[in-house]
Structure formats: C-alpha cells, structure tokens
C-alpha cells in the first residue's frame, strides 16, 4: 500500500519558519520526482515546488522562490519543504505528491 | 504561465448520467495533462495522467481525451461517490498549473 505522510504543520507567526516533512512508503521513492502542492482555505490547488529523483533539480512557483527550499533524503524516503519568511497568504493545507499519489496534507497557519 | 480554464465551473447530474468536463490550456501542453478528483475534506486523488491514461484502481467509467490545448474528462454512469471537485493540471511547463476546478453535484 502506498502511503505519503506529511508532518510539520502548525501555527506560525508572520516572518517565521517551518519545515514540512513527508515520508513515503509503497513505491520506489528514489525513482520519482516529488512535489509539494498547497490549498488555501476554500481555494484551489497551487503547485509550490518539485524535486527530481536525485535532488539535483528543483523548481519553484514564483511566490516561493527565495523563501522555500525543497529537499529530499532518499535513504529516509523523505521529502522536505523548508519555509522561511512566512506570510499570511502561505496559510494552506500542504500536500506531498509523487507519481500520482498524494498525502493527507498538513495544515500551516500563518497568524500573529 | 500556462492558464487552464475548466468548464463548467459547476454542474449537477443524476446517478447514471454521463458528464463531460473540459479543460482548455492557454498554450500547447502536448499530452502532459492530468485530472484529479477531490472529495470534500479529502486530499486530491489522481484519476488520469498523460491526458488519457487511467491511474491504477480508478474505475473505467472515468476517461480522458485530448491533446495540445483542449482536453476532456468524461464520467459515464455517474455514481453517488463521484460527487467531488475535479481539477485538471498541466506539467508540460513550469510553473505547473491547475485549473480552477469543476464542482460536480450528484442530485
């Protein structure tokens, strides 16, 4: 059974930082691109970032460039999203996704 | 950025009906387009990849077609559990983008 389990969400003050994690099981993690996608309350889906299988290639949505960093550890079957300089508009459910599978999401709320 | 426009934004249909949702891209995405289903309060679920390929485990009443800029998701023989929001998304060019979603209500 494929599982993607995100963690790390919570309440963060504006300007703060948070690191999200996603642990994967059930497919050969090291073979696939992995993505983070977010969904603001009541809103649609927004791709945030992705990373290639060996971690050498990364892409970001413009609003995340310079603030967010995606990384992965294939030995731990994990992908991460380091988020800095957080803003109210970063409030969302953050999903980890790869090769057609999605996690349950972790909620990040930016508020003072 | 590639803009994806879905139509309709919402629709209502009955059990057993056939529905079609369209997704139009602002530029050619070849066949690098996928469809997702999101039930209320749940994460997205992948239905279709590369425009017409069914994800494993997805019922055959779902089908996708199209290439270039015009794509469709068709659901035949609607079931109550098909009540959800459906999204298209393209991965042909960065940034990866999503359509605004189509909300399907089952009467």
């Amino acid at each position: 059974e494929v599982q993607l389990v995100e963690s790390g969400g919570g309440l963060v003050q504006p300007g703060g930082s948070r690191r999200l994690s996603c642990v994967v099981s059930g497919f050969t993690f090291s073979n696939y691109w992995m993505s983070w996608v977010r969904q603001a309350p009541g809103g649609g889906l927004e791709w945030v970032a992705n990373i290639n299988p060996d971690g050498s290639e990364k892409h970001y949505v413009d609003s995340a460039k310079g603030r967010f960093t995606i990384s992965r550890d294939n030995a731990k079957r994990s992908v991460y999203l380091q988020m800095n300089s957080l803003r109210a508009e970063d409030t969302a459910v953050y999903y980890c996704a790869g090769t057609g599978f999605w996690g349950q999401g972790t909620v990040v709320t930016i508020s003072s | 950025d590639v803009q994806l426009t879905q139509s309709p934004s919402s629709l209502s249909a009955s059990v057993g009906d056939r529905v079609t949702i369209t997704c139009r891209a602002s530029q050619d995405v070849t066949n690098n387009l996928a469809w997702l289903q999101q039930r209320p309060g749940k994460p997205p679920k992948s239905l279709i990849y590369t425009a017409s390929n069914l994800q494993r485990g997805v019922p055959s009443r779902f089908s996708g077609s199209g290439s270039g800029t015009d794509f469709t998701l068709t659901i035949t023989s609607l079931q109550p559990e098909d009540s959800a929001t459906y999204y298209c998304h393209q991965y042909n060019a960065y940034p990866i983008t999503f359509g605004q979603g189509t909300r399907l209500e089952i009467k």
Side-chain angles (χ1 to χ4, degrees):
Chain A
E1 180 193 8
V2 173
Q3 285 194 311
L4 292 80
V5 181
E6 301 96 335
S7 60
L11 177 63
V12 185
Q13 291 194 335
S17 298
R18 202 76 174 184
R19 188 193 195 213
L20 306 183
S21 300
C22 172
V23 180
V24 173
S25 59
F27 64 85
T28 308
F29 177 78
S30 58
N31 285 356
Y32 295 100
W33 285 76
M34 295 298 298
S35 296
W36 286 96
V37 175
R38 67 185 179 185
Q39 187 168 35
L45 299 168
E46 181 184 38
W47 170 78
V48 175
N50 67 357
I51 186 168
N52 73 336
D54 69 5
S56 62
E57 186 176 342
K58 306 172 186 181
H59 299 272
Y60 301 89
V61 69
D62 280 352
S63 60
K65 288 177 182 174
R67 299 189 302 129
F68 294 4
T69 302
I70 189 171
S71 62
R72 66 191 295 160
D73 184 334
N74 286 343
K76 295 184 178 179
R77 308 176 63 82
S78 296
V79 61
Y80 309 99
L81 187 67
Q82 175 67 44
M83 304 187 295
N84 299 328
S85 303
L86 285 162
R87 309 164 179 164
E89 54 265 36
D90 296 318
T91 294
V93 179
Y94 284 74
Y95 296 105
C96 164
T99 187
F101 297 100
W102 293 69
Q104 292 293 313
T106 188
V107 178
V108 175
T109 304
I110 311 303
S111 175
S112 55
Chain B
D1 298 4
V2 178
Q3 307 298 320
L4 297 178
T5 303
Q6 291 182 229
S7 60
S9 295
S10 64
L11 74 157
S12 181
S14 299
V15 172
D17 283 355
R18 176 181 184 271
V19 299
T20 298
I21 298 169
T22 66
C23 177
R24 175 161 288 176
S26 61
Q27 60 192 73
D28 187 349
V29 298
T30 64
N31 66 342
N32 292 318
L33 185 118
W35 291 94
L36 307 171
Q37 176 193 64
Q38 188 175 33
R39 297 184 175 117
K42 297 296 186 182
K45 173 186 175 183
S46 294
L47 300 175
I48 304 282
Y49 63 98
T50 52
S52 60
N53 291 282
L54 206 63
Q55 287 282 355
R56 188 180 301 180
V58 174
S60 58
R61 63 179 183 276
F62 291 89
S63 64
S65 65
S67 66
T69 60
D70 293 296
F71 301 87
T72 60
L73 172 70
T74 300
I75 314 170
T76 59
S77 188
L78 272 177
Q79 300 299 304
E81 61 266 29
D82 298 336
S83 179
T85 299
Y86 292 84
Y87 295 92
C88 59
H89 76 98
Q90 68 80 24
Y91 45 94
N92 190 68
Y94 288 106
I96 292 170
T97 51
F98 290 83
Q100 83 279 13
T102 295
R103 182 171 294 182
L104 172 59
E105 175 198 5
I106 308 299
K107 296 176 191 172

